Amino acid sequence: MNIILLGPPGSGKGTQARHLVETRNMVQLSTGDMLRDAKSSGSELGKKVAAVMARGDLVTDDIVIGLIGERLSQTTAGGFIFDGFPRTLAQADALDNLLKSQSHDLDAVIEMRVDDDALVSRITARSTCAKCGEVYNDITKPLPVDGKCVNCASDEFTRRADDNEDSLRQRLMEYYKKTSPIIGYYYAKGLLDQVDGLGAIYEVQWAISEVLDK
Ligand code: ADP
Ligand code: ZN
């Protein structure tokens, strides 16, 4: 089954996607991760997008559509989780065409609802394992007391360049201006489900499971 996780920055898409990868054998396609990988590899693409991302602006549709298109031909038993894509109506249309051309279907779009005040505190409290990408949060999922990642035992943690208040405000603005229209788009297609993203991580996991199993 192929699904989209939709929601503003900090709504928990990445955390939930990683759980679905572990429990349902799905493949996570995160355009944010792909762009950050490009940035840290120092590729031409990475250089092009670094400043745009740090400001909190969206990178151009053709770049992210290209990145997703390259990955969709891989086979997966559990299906794909689109995380952070699509983010514009043009990307949503492009995904539709890409899926059709590979004879894949879209089974569900899960909107993770959170209020904006919660986002600011979540994001400014966020850190990530430098080695495996496990996400921690000073409030909801603090760094392990022994200083070692629960997943890979690495002791190096990083904060994202765009996880500061100014970039976050811009990311939120981009979300409301450009991404939120796709909520209506998928509602009209009969694909939209909403979950409360404000609960504990396991509560959100349950809510998503319920949607996927129905
Ligand atoms: P978050 O959901 O926390 O904002 P992501 O990791 O999904 O974080 O994205 C980080 C940044 O990468 C975005 O602010 C944007 O600059 C860029 N980006 C990621 N996905 C897309 C996309 N589908 N379209 C355009 N830009 C994107
Ligand atoms: Zn780790």
Side-chain angles (χ1 to χ4, degrees), residues 44-176:
E44 279 311 307
L45 170 65
K47 286 180 201 147
K48 208 159 120 188
V49 299
V52 177
M53 290 175 73
R55 275 200 307 273
D57 289 332
L58 293 185
V59 310
T60 57
D61 288 337
D62 49 332
I63 289 180
V64 289
I65 292 166
L67 286 172
I68 289 286
E70 281 169 23
R71 307 291 179 96
L72 272 191
S73 52
Q74 79 189 90
T75 48
T76 142
F80 294 107
I81 308 156
F82 298 97
D83 158 12
F85 180 92
R87 258 177 159 96
T88 63
L89 286 169
Q91 292 177 24
D93 276 333
L95 178 61
D96 220 39
N97 292 329
L98 280 169
L99 288 171
K100 269 196 202 116
S101 71
Q102 309 267 350
S103 311
H104 291 313
D105 281 324
L106 188 59
D107 299 283
V109 177
I110 299 177
E111 185 202 353
M112 306 187 45
R113 311 205 55 161
V114 284
D115 68 62
D116 294 344
D117 286 340
L119 299 177
V120 180
S121 58
R122 273 192 183 188
I123 283 198
T124 45
R126 171 159 78 175
S127 55
T128 309
C129 171
K131 197 166 158 210
C132 77
E134 186 77 16
V135 179
Y136 296 89
N137 185 291
D138 301 339
I139 304 152
T140 55
K141 186 181 170 183
L143 290 173
V145 279
D146 65 357
K148 294 201 168 96
C149 175
V150 290
N151 196 38
C152 75
S154 158
D155 58 5
E156 221 187 298
F157 302 94
T158 56
R159 293 205 188 249
R160 272 169 50 173
D162 60 349
D163 276 354
N164 59 72
E165 225 173 307
D166 285 346
S167 303
L168 174 61
R169 293 219 179 277
Q170 182 58 18
R171 281 151 70 198
L172 267 182
M173 189 60 83
E174 293 284 78
Y175 182 77
Y176 286 113

